[in-house]
């Protein structure tokens, strides 16, 4: 199978994988030196087995040149719609999305973990702001910055968040960062410092304070408790 994939890749305009299919592309040498993703649960194993692949477990899909990789199975829909848009334009992609009863514009760099924590508000501006926040946790996300991205005033964005999410934008950003960090700590082996940086915490101490305030324990203890809980459930 790997030999056939390697042969067909020389003839194809694009090559793409779904979920752990990235392992097949890696075995064929098609991901050497490229950024790639896979389901977050298998990302560490892929990185260990194929060190020449730059594995990033965060995005729901990654395009690196003519090679694309996607996260869990349903993220293949997001990648497919991106390819349809590229080939046939947004109008046809919108029709396909409607037929599949799925979202058209979930960005590829949206964090896999944020898929579990992000709400899906009815208001289009709030939905756009939520998508932007969850896709850019490591960047500056003050209300003015998010509002500028959504082409509204900071005051209007604040009002919309209160009305549709029951909290101001700043609190939503803090909660999303903390929820995403908690999921990464409980489901991956990534260093705590890396998790803090990915989720937009300015330092380990800032992350520690947030965890103590929310969970009553520091991040390292939270990870240990989560690991013990998962191990116990499997037993």
């Amino acid at each position: 199978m790997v030999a056939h994939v390697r042969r067909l890749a020389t003839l194809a305009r694009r090559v793409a994988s779904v979920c752990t299919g990235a392992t097949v592309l890696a075995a064929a040498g098609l991901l050497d030196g490229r950024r790639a993703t896979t389901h977050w649960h298998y990302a560490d194993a892929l990185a260990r087995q194929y060190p020449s692949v730059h594995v990033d477990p965060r995005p729901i899909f990654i395009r690196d040149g003519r090679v694309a990789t996607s996260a869990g199975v349903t993220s293949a829909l997001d990648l497919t719609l991106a390819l349809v848009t590229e080939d046939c334009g947004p109008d046809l992609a919108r029709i396909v999305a409607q037929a599949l009863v799925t979202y058209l514009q979930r960005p590829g760099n949206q964090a896999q973990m944020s898929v579990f924590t992000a709400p899906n508000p009815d208001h289009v501006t709030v939905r756009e702001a939520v998508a932007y926040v969850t896709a850019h946790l490591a960047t500056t996300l003050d209300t003015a910055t998010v509002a500028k991205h959504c082409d509204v005033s900071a005051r209007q964005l604040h009002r919309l968040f209160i009305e549709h999410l029951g909290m101001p934008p700043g609190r939503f950003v803090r909660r999303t960062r903390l929820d995403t960090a908690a999921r990464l700590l409980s489901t991956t082996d990534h260093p705590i410092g890396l998790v803090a940086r990915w989720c937009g915490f300015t330092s380990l101490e800032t992350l520690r304070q947030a965890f103590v305030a929310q969970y009553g324990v520091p991040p390292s203890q939270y990870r240990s408790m989560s690991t013990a809980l998962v191990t116990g459930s499997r037993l």
Side-chain angles (χ1 to χ4, degrees), residues 109-130:
N109 62 348
Q110 180 174 339
Q112 292 188 40
M113 289 299 133
S114 72
V115 173
F116 301 104
T117 58
N120 183 35
D122 294 331
H123 196 281
V124 62
T125 299
V126 181
R127 189 162 61 246
E128 181 182 0
V130 167

Side-chain angles (χ1 to χ4, degrees), residues 1-2 5 14 29 34 47 70 85 89 99 102-103 110 124 130-131 135 142 146 150 157 164 173-174 203 216:
M1 180 177 67
V2 170
V5 168
R14 286 185 303 231
R34 297 183 186 271
S70 60
T85 301
T102 189
Y103 297 107
Q110 180 174 339
V124 62
V130 167
D142 56 80
V146 179
C150 298
L157 187 69
H164 293 276
V173 170
R174 289 191 296 273
S203 66

Side-chain angles (χ1 to χ4, degrees), residues 11-222:
L11 307 174
R13 181 163 59 95
R14 286 185 303 231
V15 179
S17 67
V18 178
C19 196
T20 53
T23 305
V24 179
L25 298 190
L30 299 176
L31 298 181
D32 289 351
R34 297 183 186 271
R35 281 183 68 237
T37 194
T38 186
H39 190 288
W40 57 266
H41 185 73
Y42 301 100
D44 287 342
L46 180 65
R48 286 193 301 269
Q49 189 172 0
Y50 299 97
S52 60
V53 181
H54 305 303
V55 179
D56 187 344
R58 293 171 294 172
I60 57 176
F61 66 82
I62 289 177
R63 290 283 303 277
D64 189 335
R66 69 186 189 93
V67 181
T69 51
S70 60
V73 172
T74 58
S75 64
L77 291 176
D78 301 283
L79 173 57
T80 301
L81 288 169
L83 299 179
V84 171
T85 301
E86 181 180 303
D87 288 351
C88 306
D91 291 339
L92 181 59
R94 189 173 299 107
I95 293 172
V96 174
Q98 291 172 348
L100 295 174
V101 195
T102 189
Y103 297 107
L104 174 60
Q105 294 181 327
R106 190 166 66 166
N109 62 348
Q110 180 174 339
Q112 292 188 40
M113 289 299 133
S114 72
V115 173
F116 301 104
T117 58
N120 183 35
D122 294 331
H123 196 281
V124 62
T125 299
V126 181
R127 189 162 61 246
E128 181 182 0
V130 167
Y132 180 78
V133 167
T134 56
H136 298 83
L137 288 179
T139 67
T140 299
L141 290 174
D142 56 80
T143 302
T145 298
V146 179
K148 183 178 180 180
H149 171 78
C150 298
D151 199 25
V152 296
S153 68
R155 183 175 180 179
Q156 183 180 0
L157 187 69
H158 184 278
R159 179 184 62 80
L160 289 172
F161 264 65
I162 293 295
E163 180 180 348
H164 293 276
L165 297 182
M167 67 183 77
R171 188 188 303 173
F172 172 77
V173 170
R174 289 191 296 273
R175 191 190 74 176
T176 303
R177 281 175 167 156
L178 183 61
D179 288 349
T180 304
R183 284 192 174 272
L184 284 170
L185 288 174
S186 61
T187 58
T188 74
D189 296 326
H190 300 312
I192 295 177
L194 184 60
V195 170
R197 188 162 67 251
W198 277 353
C199 296
F201 290 94
T202 56
S203 66
L204 275 173
E205 178 58 23
T206 305
L207 179 67
R208 190 194 71 81
Q209 291 176 359
F211 264 77
V212 170
Q214 178 67 28
Y215 302 111
V217 295
S220 57
Q221 188 175 345
Y222 179 90

